[in-house]
Amino acid sequence: MSITLFTPEHSAVLLIDHQIGTMSWARSAAFEDIKLRALSLARGAIALGMPLVLTSSLEDQAQGPMLDEFAEIAPEAYASRVQRKGAVNAMNEPGFADAVKATGRRNLIIAGVTNDVCTVFPALTALAQGYNVQVVADAGASITKDADTVALRRMERAGADITSTNQVLAELADDWASPGGQAVLPVMFDLIPA
């Protein structure tokens, strides 16, 4: 089996439904941990000049607004986020599917809340469409640990690589002495538990 590592030049980051309400429903990981990791992925994408696509669902309802910090970290991606009106599978929302296609990248790094609803279906759809997918498990969560485990197994069986925030950022950096590595290093240090 041939494994190709993801590079900034060939990859895009998709962050799905990192919203205040939705994140508060997740019980398989702590809210602050999910938040730190999702924001770190956004920071890493910006530092490496990668496309970053954000989407949310029903921000005016129980799901609530996206994390405000995205507006500071990635103002353009935040302003152009795809606000879905109800599509569970973000890839079924034409605006999101078009934004993903417009990146021109075939390698997708996906994180979402919840993994068992918001992440699993777009990941499966992207795989079916021929994209290479890495799902960043620790930048998302589910309502139960069992639900999280089942969703991650399903995505992995379908061909997604399951990864962590730390792992994917290190993969993208490739060399700490390079400009990209130097740009990502502060993000990595912020991920180290105090």
Side-chain angles (χ1 to χ4, degrees):
M1 174 165 76
S2 174
I3 295 175
T4 302
L5 297 178
F6 281 22
T7 64
E9 297 78 22
H10 300 100
S11 308
V13 175
L14 315 181
L15 298 179
I16 301 171
D17 299 351
H18 287 91
Q19 299 168 245
I20 301 296
T22 308
M23 290 173 62
S24 73
W25 303 334
R27 295 292 185 269
S28 63
F31 183 98
E32 289 301 322
D33 291 340
I34 303 165
K35 178 179 175 178
L36 171 65
R37 293 169 187 146
L39 296 175
S40 294
L41 289 173
R43 288 175 58 207
I46 297 302
L48 292 166
M50 296 171 61
L52 172 63
V53 181
L54 303 176
T55 186
S56 61
S57 177
L58 303 171
E59 286 190 33
D60 60 342
Q61 295 187 30
Q63 291 88 332
M66 287 202 85
L67 296 171
D68 290 340
E69 291 87 347
F70 284 123
E72 300 164 22
I73 294 168
E76 288 180 30
Y78 181 81
S80 63
R81 71 191 181 281
V82 178
Q83 297 183 55
R84 303 189 321 282
K85 303 211 181 309
V88 173
N89 181 347
M91 290 295 279
N92 286 342
E93 176 75 33
F96 183 77
D98 290 347
V100 172
K101 187 175 181 181
T103 69
R105 310 296 171 93
R106 298 304 297 168
N107 296 335
L108 304 180
I109 297 163
I110 302 175
V113 181
T114 61
N115 282 330
D116 63 328
V117 176
C118 306
T119 309
V120 67
F121 304 117
L124 294 174
T125 300
L127 287 164
Q129 292 176 356
Y131 288 96
N132 303 307
V133 174
Q134 287 195 37
V135 173
V136 188
D138 67 350
S142 299
I143 59 169
T144 67
K145 187 67 175 164
D146 287 343
D148 211 50
T149 300
V150 169
L152 295 172
R153 284 183 182 164
R154 184 176 181 190
M155 290 183 279
E156 187 172 39
R157 275 196 317 272
D161 287 327
I162 308 302
T163 191
S164 67
T165 304
N166 221 26
Q167 187 176 149
V168 76
L169 289 175
E171 180 176 337
L172 293 167
D174 185 48
D175 179 348
W176 298 125
S178 71
Q182 288 292 298
V184 170
L185 211 47
V187 180
M188 297 289 287
F189 284 138
D190 286 347
L191 288 166
I192 299 171

